[in-house]
C-alpha cells in the first residue's frame, strides 16, 4: 500500500472540543514485545489447546458420541444418561437418605416458596382468560414450571442479576415485585416501568436486578456472560452472580454456543439455567437435539454441569445455591438443566392440542406436579393445611383480580413518549421532525372515530403532542 | 501519526481514565491484526484487554452485557464484513435496549469498532462498506472517521456517547493516512458533518476513504490530464466545490448538508458501498425534500456497483477520482 498524502484541507480540522491534560500514558512507549509472555509459548502436552490426550491406534475405539457423567460409586441407576438430582419423590416425600438437614430450609422460606408458586397459576388463569376476552393482547403462562422458577429464585440472593427468557416472571414475584407493576406492564399502563413499549410479560426492573426481557431468543445468553464478567470486576459485588434462564429450544440458537463459550473462557460467574420442558412451541425436544439433553453440552465447554428435577422445587433451590457457591469460589460458569414439563400452551397464540394430546398433558399434571409435591412436603411437616391452601388461593385470586382492575383503568403513557428514549441525550432532529409531523396529523385527523378512541386511552389524551406543533424545523 | 496508532491512543486514554473500560475481540491482546490495540494488553493487563473466542455474535452480546452493567465496552469486530453474525445483537438488542426498558437499562457504554471499506485486494469479505445496513436502526449511532485526528477524536466521542455506537474504520487509511495528532485526550462531536473545503457551485458529500478520491477529483476537474481534457469544458474547471465529510452516518447532520445544497444547488454523494439503498439514497431523498426549489441538477450518487466487491477489478468497482470528476461535470453542466 502506498503512503497516501493527506491533503491540507482534510488535515487542518481537528478542533478538539474537550481536552484533558491529566492523561499522558499513551505518549509513553509501550513495553518491548520481547519481554512479554505469549500464550501458547509454553508446551502444554502434545496437542495445542489440550494438556493431555491419549493416542489410540484403533479407529473403532477412537469414535465416540456421548459424554459420560462422572462414575458414581455404587449407584446402579447411573446408566443411560446424565443423572438427575432430586430430593423429593413424586409425591413430595424426601427420598431415602435425604434428611431435613440436607434440604436445609426454614418453615418461613418453604411456605413463602409455596405461596409464590401458588400465585403463578392464579395470575396465569386470570390473565389467560383476560386475553381470551380481548382485554390484553398476549399472555404466556408458567403452568408446570412453578417449581423450576421459584426453586431457582429461592436459591439466589435478591441482588443476583437475572437475564430471563419470558417464562420466569416468578423470579420477580419471589423478589416481591409488586403485582401492580406486573399488571401495568401487561396492560401497557402509564406507570409501567418499561414505558408500555413491549408486549405483555416482557418485564424488567432495575430495582429487582431483573434485566428487561426481549423476544429474540437466546440473545440474553452472551449478554449474561458479559454481565458476569462485569460483576467480577465490580467492587462490592463479589458475592453476586448472574443467572441466565432459557428454554431447551433457545439452546439451539447460535447465541447459546456463543454465551456458553464466552462465559467459560472469560471465567465469569454465571449460572445458565435451562428449563427443559420438552417443547419449543410445537417442536418436541426429540426434534431439537439428538444428544443427552442440554446438560451433555456443558462439559464440551469445560463447564461444571448439573441436571436437576425441575418439578422438585427444593432440589432446584439447593442446586442453584450450590452452583452459585461454586461459580463464586471457582470463578467459572455453571450449567443447570432443569427437567420439567410445559403444561400450558406455549402462549395465548398457540393451541397445543394441535400437536400433543390433552391426555398426555393431564397425566403429566397428575403424575408429576411441582405444586402437589411442595404442598405434601409442607403438610408432612405440619407447615401447611387445607385451610391455608384455600385461604391463600382465595387471597391470591382477589389480589390479582383487584390489581388487574386497577391496571385496566389506568391510562396509557403520554403519546409523545413514543418518540422518547430511542436515544439517550438530545433527540435527533429527524425524530423531532417526525414528532412534529404526528402532532400536525393529530391536529387534523385526531377527531376521526378510530383515532379519538385510541387517543382517549393515553394520558393527556394526546394533548402533550400539541406543544410540538410549532417546533417543526425545515 | 498513523490512524491505527491514533485509534490505539484513543483507547489508551479511555483505559487510563475509566477503570471500568475493557477492550476485547479476536486477536486484540497481541496488538490486533491491524496493530490498533498494540501494547494495550501489556500496559492495562490481560483482564482488561483480552482475546475472545472467534464468535462475533458472542463478542457483541458480551459487550452488551458489560455495558448493561455500567462498564465501558470497546468491542472489536475484525472486519466490517464479519459484523453480520452480530447483526441481531446490534439491531434487536443494543439499539433497542434503552427504549424497550423505559430507560431502566441501557448499553450506551458499548462501542463496536470494525475496519471497513476497500483495501486494494480485499475482495468480497475484506472490503465491504456496511454503514448503510445500520442507518435504518433507530437507537444506534454510526460513525466513520477519515484521518488519524478524526479517528482519535471521534472514537473518544463514540466511547463517551451515552448510546451504542458502531465505529467503522477505513482500513485503507490505517497506515496510509498520516498527520500530526494531539497527544492529549480530546473528543470530536458526533452527528456533526464537517465542511472540509468551502465552495458555492456544488456540494460533494462523502465519508471515510473515498473523501481522498473526492479531493483528487477536484484536481482533475481543475487540471484535467491532456488525454481526457475534452470531457472537461472550460466552464466547469473553475467550479467552486464544497466538500463535506459526513463523519456520522446516524443520526446524520441534515442541517449542514441541506444548508450547503440550498446554497450551491447541486449535490453529488460518493460512497464505496453499492448504490442501491446506500446512504446516498437517504441523503438524496432528504436533499430533494428540503432543497427542491433550489436544485439546479438531479442529486447524483457515485458508489460501488450493485455487485459483490470483486477481487481483481477493484479499480473499476470503487468510486475512483475520475468517476467522481465525471459526475461533477454532469451535475455542473446539467
Amino acid at each position: 500500500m502506498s503512503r497516501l498524502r493527506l491533503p491540507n484541507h482534510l488535515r487542518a480540522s481537528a478542533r478538539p472540543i474537550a481536552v484533558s491534560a491529566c492523561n499522558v500514558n499513551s505518549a509513553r512507549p509501550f513495553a518491548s514485545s520481547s519481554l512479554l509472555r505469549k500464550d501458547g509459548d509454553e508446551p502444554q502436552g502434545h496437542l495445542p489447546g489440550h494438556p493431555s490426550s491419549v493416542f489410540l491406534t484403533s479407529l473403532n475405539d477412537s469414535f465416540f458420541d456421548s459424554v459420560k457423567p462422572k462414575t458414581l460409586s455404587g449407584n446402579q441407576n447411573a446408566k443411560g444418561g446424565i443423572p438427575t438430582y432430586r430430593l423429593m419423590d413424586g409425591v413430595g416425600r424426601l427420598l431415602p437418605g435425604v434428611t431435613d438437614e440436607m434440604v436445609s430450609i426454614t418453615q418461613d422460606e418453604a411456605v413463602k416458596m409455596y405461596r409464590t408458586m401458588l400465585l403463578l397459576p392464579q395470575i396465569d388463569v386470570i390473565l389467560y382468560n383476560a386475553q381470551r376476552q380481548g382485554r390484553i393482547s398476549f399472555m404466556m403462562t408458567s403452568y408446570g414450571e412453578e417449581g423450576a422458577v421459584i426453586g431457582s429464585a429461592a436459591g439466589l440472593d435478591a441482588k443476583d442479576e437475572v437475564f430471563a427468557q419470558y417464562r420466569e416472571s416468578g423470579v420477580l414475584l419471589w423478589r416481591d415485585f409488586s403485582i401492580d407493576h406486573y399488571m401495568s406492564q401487561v396492560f401497557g399502563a402509564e406507570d409501567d416501568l418499561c414505558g408500555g413499549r413491549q408486549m405483555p410479560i416482557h418485564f424488567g426492573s432495575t430495582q429487582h436486578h431483573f434485566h428487561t426481557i426481549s423476544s429474540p431468543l437466546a440473545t440474553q445468553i452472551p449478554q449474561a456472560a458479559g454481565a458476569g464478567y462485569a460483576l467480577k470486576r465490580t467492587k462490592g459485588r463479589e458475592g453476586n452472580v448472574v443467572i441466565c434462564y432459557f428454554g431447551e429450544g433457545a439452546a439451539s440458537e447460535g447465541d447459546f454456543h456463543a454465551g456458553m463459550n464466552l462465559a467459560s473462557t472469560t471465567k465469569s460467574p454465571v449460572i445458565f439455567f435451562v428449563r427443559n420442558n420438552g417443547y419449543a412451541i410445537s417442536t418436541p425436544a426429540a426434534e431439537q437435539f439428538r444428544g443427552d439433553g442440554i446438560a451433555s453440552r456443558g462439559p464440551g465447554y469445560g463447564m461444571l454441569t448439573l441436571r436437576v428435577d425441575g418439578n422438585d422445587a427444593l432440589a432446584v433451590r439447593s442446586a442453584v445455591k450450590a452452583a452459585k457457591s461454586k461459580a463464586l469460589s471457582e470463578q467459572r460458569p455453571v450449567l443447570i438443566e432443569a427437567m420439567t414439563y410445559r403444561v400450558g400452551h406455549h402462549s395465548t397464540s398457540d393451541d397445543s392440542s394441535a400437536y400433543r394430546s390433552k391426555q398426555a398433558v393431564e397425566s403429566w399434571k397428575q403424575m408429576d406436579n411441582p405444586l402437589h409435591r411442595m404442598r405434601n412436603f409442607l403438610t408432612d411437616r405440619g407447615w401447611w393445611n387445607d385451610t391455608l391452601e384455600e385461604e391463600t388461593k382465595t387471597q391470591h385470586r382477589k389480589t390479582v383480580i383487584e390489581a388487574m382492575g386497577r391496571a385496566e383503568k389506568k391510562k396509557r403513557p403520554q403519546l409523545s413518549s413514543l418518540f422518547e428514549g430511542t436515544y439517550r441525550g438530545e433527540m435527533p432532529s429527524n425524530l423531532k421532525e417526525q414528532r412534529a409531523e404526528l402532532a400536525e396529523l393529530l391536529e387534523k385527523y385526531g377527531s376521526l372515530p378510530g383515532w379519538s378512541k385510541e387517543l382517549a386511552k393515553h394520558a393527556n389524551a394526546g394533548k402533550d403532542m400539541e406543544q410540538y406543533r410549532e417546533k417543526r424545523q425545515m | 501519526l498513523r490512524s491505527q496508532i491514533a485509534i490505539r491512543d484513543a483507547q489508551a486514554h479511555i483505559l487510563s481514565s475509566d477503570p471500568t473500560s475493557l477492550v476485547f475481540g479476536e486477536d486484540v491482546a497481541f496488538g490486533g491484526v491491524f496493530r490498533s490495540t498494540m501494547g494495550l494488553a501489556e500496559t492495562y493487563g490481560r483482564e482488561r484487554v483480552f482475546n475472545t473466542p472467534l464468535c462475533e455474535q458472542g463478542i457483541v452480546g458480551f459487550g452488551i452485557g458489560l455495558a448493561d452493567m455500567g462498564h465501558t465496552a470497546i468491542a472489536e469486530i475484525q472486519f466490517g464484513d464479519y459484523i453480520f453474525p452480530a447483526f441481531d445483537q446490534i439491531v434487536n438488542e443494543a439499539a433497542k435496549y434503552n427504549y424497550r426498558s423505559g430507560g431502566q437499562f441501557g448499553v450506551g457504554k458499548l462501542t463496536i469498532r470494525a475496519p471497513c471499506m476497500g483495501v486494494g485486494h480485499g475482495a468480497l469479505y475484506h472490503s465491504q462498506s456496511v454503514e448503510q445496513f445500520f442507518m435504518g436502526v433507530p437507537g444506534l449511532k454510526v460513525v466513520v472517521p477519515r484521518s488519524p485526528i478524526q479517528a482519535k477524536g471521534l472514537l473518544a466521542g463514540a466511547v463517551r456517547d451515552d448510546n451504542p455506537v458502531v465505529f467503522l474504520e477505513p482500513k485503507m487509511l490505517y497506515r496510509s493516512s498520516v498527520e500530526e495528532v494531539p497527544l492529549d485526550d480530546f473528543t470530536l462531536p458526533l452527528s456533526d458533518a464537517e465542511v472540509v473545503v468551502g465552495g458555492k457551485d456544488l456540494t460533494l458529500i462523502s465519508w471515510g476513504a473515498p473523501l481522498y478520491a473526492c479531493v483528487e477529483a477536484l484536481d482533475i476537474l481543475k487540471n484535467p490530464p491532456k488525454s481526457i481534457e475534452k470531457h472537461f469544458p472550460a466552464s466547469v474547471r473553475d467550479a467552486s466545490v464544497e466538500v463535506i465529510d459526513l463523519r456520522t452516518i446516524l443520526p446524520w447532520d441534515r442541517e449542514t448538508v441541506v444548508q450547503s445544497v440550498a446554497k450551491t444547488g447541486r449535490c453529488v454523494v460518493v460512497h464505496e458501498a453499492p448504490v442501491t439503498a446506500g446512504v446516498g439514497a437517504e441523503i438524496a431523498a432528504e436533499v430533494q425534500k428540503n432543497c427542491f426549489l433550489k436544485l439546479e441538477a438531479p442529486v447524483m450518487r457515485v458508489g460501488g456497483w450493485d455487485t459483490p466487491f470483486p477481487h481483481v477489478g477493484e479499480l473499476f468497482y470503487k468510486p475512483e477520482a475520475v468517476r467522481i470528476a465525471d459526475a461533477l461535470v454532469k451535475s455542473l453542466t446539467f
Side-chain angles (χ1 to χ4, degrees):
Chain A
M1 201 188 309
S2 66
R3 274 167 80 96
L4 207 130
R5 289 281 304 276
L6 193 70
N8 272 328
H9 35 265
L10 289 186
R11 195 186 295 161
S13 53
R15 287 193 311 203
I17 59 160
V19 174
S20 131
C22 62
N23 186 348
V24 290
N25 261 7
S26 66
R28 274 187 224 136
F30 288 91
S32 148
S33 61
S34 64
L35 300 172
L36 302 171
R37 179 183 66 86
K38 287 193 177 66
D39 277 353
D41 278 0
E42 297 109 55
Q44 293 186 345
H46 53 262
L47 295 172
H50 205 281
S52 66
S53 168
V54 178
F55 289 122
L56 297 179
T57 53
S58 153
L59 195 51
N60 265 341
D61 287 349
S62 298
F63 284 111
F64 69 99
D65 66 357
S66 69
V67 178
K68 289 195 180 69
K70 202 158 53 180
T71 314
L72 303 171
S73 51
N75 189 335
Q76 296 306 308
N77 295 324
K79 280 185 287 193
I82 294 167
T84 305
Y85 170 71
R86 61 163 24 181
L87 294 170
M88 291 188 279
D89 66 12
V91 292
R93 270 185 299 262
L94 295 187
L95 290 164
V98 178
T99 61
D100 276 5
E101 286 67 42
M102 288 162 72
V103 178
S104 180
I105 191 165
T106 63
Q107 177 177 350
D108 280 355
E109 191 183 348
V111 168
K112 188 191 167 188
M113 277 177 73
Y114 185 55
R115 281 185 186 279
T116 316
M117 285 166 70
L118 282 178
L119 179 55
L120 282 168
Q122 292 298 334
I123 291 177
D124 286 349
V125 73
I126 290 163
L127 285 182
Y128 188 84
N129 289 327
Q131 194 281 335
R132 283 290 174 253
Q133 295 159 9
R135 293 157 76 184
I136 58 172
S137 64
F138 180 76
M139 175 61 191
M140 298 177 105
T141 64
S142 303
Y143 291 125
E145 299 179 47
E146 298 91 344
V149 172
I150 303 301
S152 62
L156 298 167
D157 177 275
K159 285 188 171 162
D160 289 326
E161 304 288 335
V162 180
F163 286 75
Q165 178 165 304
Y166 48 56
R167 220 179 285 286
E168 300 93 356
S169 57
V171 178
L172 273 171
L173 298 171
W174 173 259
R175 291 183 179 187
D176 298 323
F177 184 69
S178 86
I179 194 79
D180 279 308
H181 274 143
Y182 193 108
M183 291 296 168
S184 289
Q185 197 287 326
V186 170
F187 282 86
E190 196 179 359
D191 61 345
D192 168 28
L193 297 172
C194 300
R197 289 168 178 150
Q198 287 212 86
M199 284 173 79
I201 63 101
H202 291 57
F203 301 101
S205 168
T206 34
Q207 197 199 324
H208 298 87
H209 299 270
F210 194 96
H211 298 253
T212 305
I213 290 168
S214 72
S215 307
L217 285 182
T219 47
Q220 77 276 18
I221 302 175
Q223 294 171 10
Y229 196 78
L231 267 187
K232 187 160 86 161
R233 302 196 68 245
T234 308
K235 284 217 163 46
R237 298 297 305 274
E238 296 86 353
N240 285 122
V241 295
V242 171
I243 186 159
C244 178
Y245 292 93
F246 48 97
E248 89 287 348
S252 297
E253 293 282 0
D255 274 335
F256 165 85
H257 162 68
M260 298 284 280
N261 200 27
L262 262 152
S264 200
T265 55
T266 59
K267 305 178 187 78
S268 298
V270 182
I271 300 171
F272 293 105
F273 191 95
V274 190
R275 295 174 295 94
N276 186 345
N277 63 16
Y279 286 92
I281 306 189
S282 73
T283 305
E287 292 169 27
Q288 200 67 246
F289 46 73
R290 287 291 301 278
D292 185 0
I294 311 302
S296 65
R297 302 180 198 169
Y301 293 105
M303 201 177 287
L304 270 179
T305 302
L306 178 145
R307 174 176 282 163
V308 63
D309 179 348
N311 294 343
D312 178 346
L314 296 173
V316 173
R317 171 179 167 274
S318 68
V320 168
K321 272 182 184 286
K324 175 173 173 176
S325 150
K326 283 188 186 296
L328 289 176
S329 65
E330 301 181 23
Q331 287 291 293
R332 60 191 291 208
V334 181
L335 173 65
I336 297 179
E337 182 181 28
M339 310 307 287
T340 177
Y341 187 79
R342 196 194 78 210
V343 170
H345 301 303
H346 164 70
S347 73
T348 47
S349 311
D350 171 51
D351 173 9
S352 67
S353 66
Y355 49 82
R356 61 179 186 185
S357 75
K358 285 187 173 141
Q359 200 192 340
V361 176
E362 278 312 307
S363 74
W364 267 101
K365 256 160 78 177
Q366 299 306 323
M367 212 172 61
D368 188 12
N369 185 311
L371 294 163
H372 295 173
R373 286 166 72 178
M374 193 67 187
R375 178 180 176 174
N376 288 347
F377 172 83
L378 295 177
T379 310
D380 283 354
R381 273 150 198 78
W383 296 349
W384 198 254
N385 55 47
D386 291 352
T387 319
L388 278 172
E389 177 90 6
E390 282 319 303
E391 276 173 12
T392 305
K393 282 182 175 168
T394 312
Q395 184 55 46
H396 278 344
R397 192 172 162 73
K398 190 163 170 276
T399 307
V400 174
I401 289 175
E402 284 174 1
M404 186 171 81
R406 285 191 294 273
E408 204 168 16
K409 287 193 196 72
K410 285 176 187 165
K411 293 286 187 190
R412 294 172 175 176
Q414 300 197 114
L415 200 52
S416 54
S417 74
L418 197 81
F419 296 91
E420 288 153 12
T422 306
Y423 289 94
R424 286 189 177 177
E426 211 202 323
M427 186 181 286
S429 66
N430 56 322
L431 269 181
K432 284 185 189 160
E433 192 180 305
Q434 289 167 14
R435 186 174 59 183
E437 196 176 325
L438 179 60
E440 192 187 301
L441 290 166
L442 289 172
E443 189 182 13
K444 284 159 77 176
Y445 308 118
S447 61
L448 277 174
W451 283 39
S452 63
K453 196 178 146 208
E454 285 292 295
L455 279 174
K457 295 178 186 168
H458 290 266
N460 288 327
K463 300 243 180 298
D464 51 299
M465 291 294 289
E466 284 174 13
Q467 61 185 304
Y468 301 117
R469 280 182 203 159
E470 299 302 314
K471 291 193 177 168
R472 191 147 184 235
Q473 293 165 347
M474 293 191 300
Chain B
L1 220 63
R2 293 169 171 174
S3 286
Q4 60 201 156
I5 305 303
I7 287 161
R8 194 273 313 271
D9 288 354
Q11 294 177 88
H13 289 310
I14 302 283
L15 287 162
S16 300
S17 60
D18 173 0
T20 73
S21 58
L22 302 158
V23 170
F24 54 93
E26 293 158 14
D27 306 304
V28 302
F30 88 109
V33 296
F34 288 108
R35 325 305 293 146
S36 44
T37 52
M38 271 281 276
L40 296 180
E42 290 76 13
T43 309
Y44 300 98
R46 284 294 282 264
E47 205 182 292
R48 299 184 63 197
V49 181
F50 53 93
N51 293 335
T52 62
L54 209 165
C55 182
E56 287 77 14
Q57 65 200 91
I59 292 169
V60 174
F62 190 83
I64 289 172
L66 288 168
D68 179 25
M69 294 294 292
H71 293 234
T72 299
I74 307 179
E76 180 179 303
I77 298 295
Q78 205 158 68
F79 286 86
D81 311 66
Y82 306 129
I83 204 166
F84 300 112
F87 204 62
D88 183 41
Q89 285 285 353
I90 297 172
V91 174
N92 274 331
E93 296 291 318
K96 297 172 173 57
Y97 227 82
N98 187 66
Y99 189 80
R100 77 185 189 203
S101 68
Q104 292 189 91
F105 298 96
V107 293
K109 289 175 178 289
L110 170 67
T111 305
I112 302 161
R113 295 179 39 241
C116 69
M117 299 187 177
V119 68
H121 50 268
L124 287 77
Y125 307 112
H126 298 82
S127 308
Q128 292 180 71
S129 291
V130 298
E131 62 272 14
Q132 68 280 10
F133 295 106
F134 298 104
M135 194 182 201
V137 185
L140 208 61
K141 294 195 175 183
V142 183
V143 175
V144 185
R146 69 165 186 273
S147 74
I149 290 173
Q150 299 292 317
K152 186 172 175 183
L154 288 170
L155 180 56
V159 173
R160 288 167 181 143
D161 190 275
D162 211 7
N163 296 284
V165 182
V166 174
F167 192 82
L168 301 168
E169 303 161 0
K171 61 181 132 0
M172 182 70 147
L173 307 177
Y174 273 140
R175 286 188 294 161
S176 60
S177 163
V178 180
E179 66 186 349
E180 300 279 333
V181 180
L183 289 176
D184 285 333
D185 189 359
F186 66 92
T187 302
L188 292 172
L190 305 191
S191 290
D192 258 12
E194 187 189 3
V195 178
V196 288
V197 185
K200 58 183 176 43
D201 298 329
L202 184 149
T203 303
L204 179 57
I205 303 162
S206 194
W207 50 94
L211 271 166
Y212 297 87
C214 289
V215 171
E216 281 178 60
L218 295 187
D219 282 342
I220 295 175
L221 185 70
K222 213 173 282 298
N223 307 301
K226 269 266 176 294
S227 60
I228 58 169
E229 68 179 358
K230 65 174 181 211
H231 302 299
F232 295 83
S235 61
V236 302
R237 294 191 193 174
D238 291 330
S240 150
V241 176
E242 182 146 299
V243 180
I244 294 182
D245 178 1
L246 196 62
R247 301 204 290 194
T248 300
I249 306 300
L250 183 76
W252 64 288
D253 185 355
R254 293 183 309 166
E255 289 71 16
T256 299
V257 168
V258 163
Q259 232 169 49
S260 171
V261 181
K263 174 179 72 179
T264 63
R266 291 182 163 83
C267 179
V268 176
V269 189
V270 180
H271 54 66
E272 276 191 27
V275 169
T276 297
V279 174
E282 180 63 31
I283 295 175
E286 284 291 327
V287 163
Q288 74 83 22
K289 177 179 145 197
N290 292 290
C291 308
F292 187 66
L293 294 176
K294 311 272 184 161
L295 282 173
E296 305 283 346
V299 179
M300 304 220 174
R301 295 181 282 157
V302 186
W305 309 118
D306 291 345
T307 70
F309 201 111
H311 186 212
V312 297
E314 179 166 328
L315 175 74
F316 300 103
Y317 174 85
K318 282 205 299 191
E320 277 286 306
V322 73
R323 272 181 64 197
I324 299 166
D326 185 70
L328 295 177
V329 173
K330 281 180 179 142
S331 177
L332 288 163
T333 58
F334 185 83

